[in-house]
Amino acid sequence: MTKPVTVLISSRNRPLYLWACLDALYARTRIPCRFILVDMASDDPLVEKVLAGFERRGMFDKILRSPQNNLNALAELVFGELESWGPYFAYIESDVVVEDAEPCWLERMTSLMESNPRLGMLGSAIDKRDFLEPAAVEHLREDRDEAHWRALIKADSPERGQDVSSAEGKPLFRPHNPAGRLLMLRSEAIKEVGVAQDSVLDRLMREAGYETAVATKVRHRHLSLVQLFDYPDYDMSARNKFMSKLDEFKQGDGD
């Protein structure tokens, strides 16, 4: 490792989750890195208070504030700075809490990228204890339609069936495509195939001859699994539409 690993953080609103995400990254990342945070036009005033606290800690290499909630702006940043980031970089969304481990999450992922030169997309195992059982929270459903309800509680997520023990002690496995909320990506692979939401990016990587996998010894919490309690009005349909726009991104198109 010749230079600090770049860790790109994408955030929008939900300051409770943002604080938890940043606190874990700050305390549990133990190798040299540079944190770059891109805030996607948050309109919750508490977000700036959270960011200010971690700025005072000296956490960030830089904070970029997008004037629009548009993933194309984030994608343009990636392509604009990719050459300076080295052979790989990490991407994390602000509803993720990395697990405390030794070696730390970033060191483990970096080591896996270095020892597997065709590994283009590396994800993390999930802490399944946060998944809600639909019957246990049915009383909170209110008037949500079936599709919205199931999306809100991640009822159909393939990660519900993720079983790290099936890897039989190996450092990598592929029970499903790596989840896009926490990734390490090989720069040359991104240059070749572009950017897209996780399932599409996984397919493009594999079609181009790269490997994709989940790290068995890196685990995270996905706080959106419990957003029914903390942010019950979160608009899943708007988020899905937002993410799907990334599949249409072409470098240089702007927004």
Side-chain angles (χ1 to χ4, degrees), residues 193-209:
V193 308
V195 295
Q197 59 181 325
D198 53 14
S199 59
V200 177
L201 184 58
D202 176 80
R203 174 177 57 79
L204 293 174
M205 288 272 187
R206 292 168 67 81
E207 287 175 352

Side-chain angles (χ1 to χ4, degrees), residues 167-195:
E168 300 179 339
K170 296 177 182 178
L172 298 172
F173 77 144
R174 194 177 180 280
H176 45 69
N177 68 264
R181 73 189 75 94
L182 173 56
L183 292 172
M184 182 162 275
L185 297 163
R186 191 169 299 277
S187 299
E188 68 176 23
I190 290 296
K191 290 178 191 175
E192 182 175 346
V193 308
V195 295

Side-chain angles (χ1 to χ4, degrees), residues 43-64:
D43 50 23
D44 187 322
L46 289 179
V47 166
E48 284 299 323
K49 292 182 180 294
V50 171
L51 295 181
F54 287 93
E55 280 190 288
R56 286 190 286 269
R57 290 168 171 83
M59 177 175 180
F60 303 114
D61 184 78
K62 65 177 77 172
I63 294 178
L64 303 174

Side-chain angles (χ1 to χ4, degrees), residues 110-143:
T110 297
S111 295
L112 288 168
M113 294 296 277
E114 290 178 341
S115 59
N116 296 274
R118 292 305 294 172
L119 186 58
M121 179 182 182
L122 176 63
S124 162
I126 193 169
D127 186 336
K128 298 200 300 180
R129 292 173 295 183
D130 286 314
F131 277 110
L132 303 177
E133 290 304 320
V137 292
E138 180 67 26
H139 64 289
L140 298 174
R141 179 168 174 165
E142 299 176 344
D143 60 350

Side-chain angles (χ1 to χ4, degrees), residues 191-247:
K191 290 178 191 175
E192 182 175 346
V193 308
V195 295
Q197 59 181 325
D198 53 14
S199 59
V200 177
L201 184 58
D202 176 80
R203 174 177 57 79
L204 293 174
M205 288 272 187
R206 292 168 67 81
E207 287 175 352
Y210 292 98
E211 298 171 10
T212 66
V214 173
T216 59
K217 294 185 178 180
V218 179
R219 192 170 71 160
H220 70 279
R221 291 185 63 196
H222 184 199
L223 297 183
S224 286
L225 295 180
V226 294
Q227 67 188 350
L228 176 64
F229 305 134
D230 304 315
Y231 295 103
D233 298 325
Y234 188 75
D235 190 338
M236 288 300 301
S237 60
R239 185 194 185 279
N240 292 340
K241 183 178 179 180
F242 169 81
M243 293 301 298
S244 68
K245 288 291 184 182
L246 191 60
D247 298 338

